[in-house]
Amino acid sequence: MDSHNQTEEMEFVLLAFSIFQRHHIHFFLVFLAAYLVTLLGNFMIITLVLLDSRLHTPMYFFLSQLSCLDICLSSVVVPKILVNLLHQQYTISYEQCLAQAFFLIGFGGCEPALLAIMAYDRYAAICQPLHYAHLMRSKFCVQLSVAVWFWGFLDSAIYAALASKLDFCGNYQILHIWCDIPPLLKIACSDTQVNKLANHITSFLVGLGPFLFIILSYFCILASIVRIPSNTGRRKAFSTCASHVAVVTLYIGNGFLNYNQPSSGYSLESDTLISIMFCIVTPMLNPLIYSLRNKEVKEARRKVSIFFLMDSHNQTEEMEFVLLAFSIFQSHHIHFFLVFLAAYLVTLLGNFITLVLLDSRLHSPMYFFPSQLSCLDICLSSVVVPKILVNLIRQQYTISYNQCLAQTFFLIGFAGCEPALLAVMAYDRYAAICQPLHYAHLMRGKLCIQLSVAIWFWGFLDSAIYAALASRLEFCGNHQILHIWCDIPPLLKIACWLWGS
């Protein structure tokens, strides 16, 4: 049974989960799929911007910031929703509620300001093309980015500080699917006039202000586009804005419906749907809009796909290793592909469930460290199995030099963390059994976190040393590795020159 100490006495019941109660597993899978698509799509945008030098411009710098915000915004609410659905316990503690509201408003408040800056970037590119390089110089873009994050979390800090003063007089039932300021104000029994006044002021500054700036920017942009003599020029100018207009419409529209409800309010079902559209669906759709509508993003995606999947031989891929161990699987590559795929999915599912199922009764060092072990197991298998699957399905059993070094680095890093983690877990059992009276002090929360950080640092320090030494090896034309993936011992066997020898 959960022992309720003082910090756990106040818990809110999230009534909106009653909508999903009968089919909680189905909704769990829907939310999980939406979250994975959000992560995949936004990480794709960030990766493309980092890898393709043609996207190293202010427009795509701010787009990568938007993708980062979308990942953060959905990560504030979706993991907790997944835990609640899986446990069928639709509650949230007071501290978690305030933290969720703080980060939700913080990330949500950053987006309108960022969208306004992106509109200004389009204005400068179309209306002031000769001065664009000066107006959107790199230093200024970084300053704008910092200002966006500061502005969003300044607003959030004000909201959270005011919300922490509210009293609830025993009414802990929130008509929502997560914690947000408007639902908290509805159930508060203390005076909320200051909160409501702050809500109106910040809604104007954080929401309406950027929206009016965007409207003004696009009014100037349209005026400039109309003056372009050729149809081709007009279409090209407008195409650079189309994705941004779609994202602004989606975000501002959902945000307006979510935070400007009629006095009578929405029904529980409508309110939940609007909130899901705002915090879950919008971050999922943003990368799809940019990847479908934007020619440069599509071209960058095509180039990166070719780089990783089509073996186009540029200078970074001149040296390739042949993984000879795949000869074992060659005659039945499809069957082995399915075996490896099944094993990988079981690994992901099993370790993910271990992470998700850690309820409040398991918030102890004994279960904290197994959750770290599950995380390491997911990472370790993800270093090698996806590449094995690609090689088997394409029947091309090679790996580039850069991919080989990267695989070796992460393989040694994650594998190096596990022995240290297992040693810490053994010490935890020693403390619990041999020093039961001192266990709470020996394995206090702060020390557990410090041990966890030390484990990851130790593993990747070891990995960095290995990778640095491996990068100095020469192979003299022998690029055949007697293994199924890249690792240090097989590389040392075929090296013709060892650094320091």
Side-chain angles (χ1 to χ4, degrees), residues 339-415:
V339 169
F340 280 109
L341 178 60
Y344 186 51
L345 292 176
V346 169
T347 301
L348 294 181
L349 183 61
N351 285 289
F352 181 78
I353 288 174
T354 301
L355 291 171
V356 170
L357 285 178
L358 288 179
D359 62 24
S360 57
R361 292 172 298 177
L362 305 182
H363 291 175
S364 65
M366 178 179 176
Y367 296 103
F368 170 72
F369 291 117
S371 71
Q372 296 281 305
L373 184 63
S374 290
C375 184
L376 276 175
D377 286 339
I378 290 171
C379 294
L380 186 61
S381 60
S382 296
V383 171
V384 295
V385 181
K387 181 61 179 172
I388 290 173
L389 295 176
V390 171
N391 286 345
L392 285 172
I393 202 69
R394 291 169 55 209
Q395 297 185 68
Q396 293 181 5
Y397 310 127
T398 59
I399 186 170
S400 72
Y401 175 76
N402 291 335
Q403 288 175 338
C404 183
L405 279 186
Q407 190 176 65
T408 300
F409 171 77
F410 287 107
L411 184 67
I412 295 171
F414 294 127

Side-chain angles (χ1 to χ4, degrees), residues 200-265:
H200 290 309
I201 294 171
T202 55
S203 291
F204 175 79
L205 294 175
V206 175
L208 186 60
F211 179 67
L212 293 175
F213 183 84
I214 292 169
I215 295 295
L216 178 63
S217 298
Y218 274 104
F219 178 80
C220 297
I221 289 170
L222 286 173
S224 296
I225 289 175
V226 168
R227 291 196 294 269
I228 297 175
S230 67
N231 290 331
T232 304
R234 283 196 292 270
R235 279 197 300 270
K236 185 177 179 181
F238 185 74
S239 68
T240 63
C241 304
S243 298
H244 182 253
V245 170
V247 169
V248 167
T249 304
L250 189 64
Y251 183 83
I252 299 291
N254 285 322
F256 180 82
L257 291 173
N258 194 54
Y259 288 103
N260 293 275
Q261 300 182 8
S263 56
S264 59

Side-chain angles (χ1 to χ4, degrees), residues 441-468:
H441 174 71
L442 291 174
M443 299 305 293
R444 58 197 180 275
K446 186 177 179 181
L447 178 62
C448 290
I449 293 172
Q450 290 171 341
L451 287 172
S452 179
V453 171
I455 285 166
W456 288 80
F457 176 79
W458 176 256
F460 279 92
L461 175 63
D462 173 51
S463 176
I465 295 170
Y466 267 110

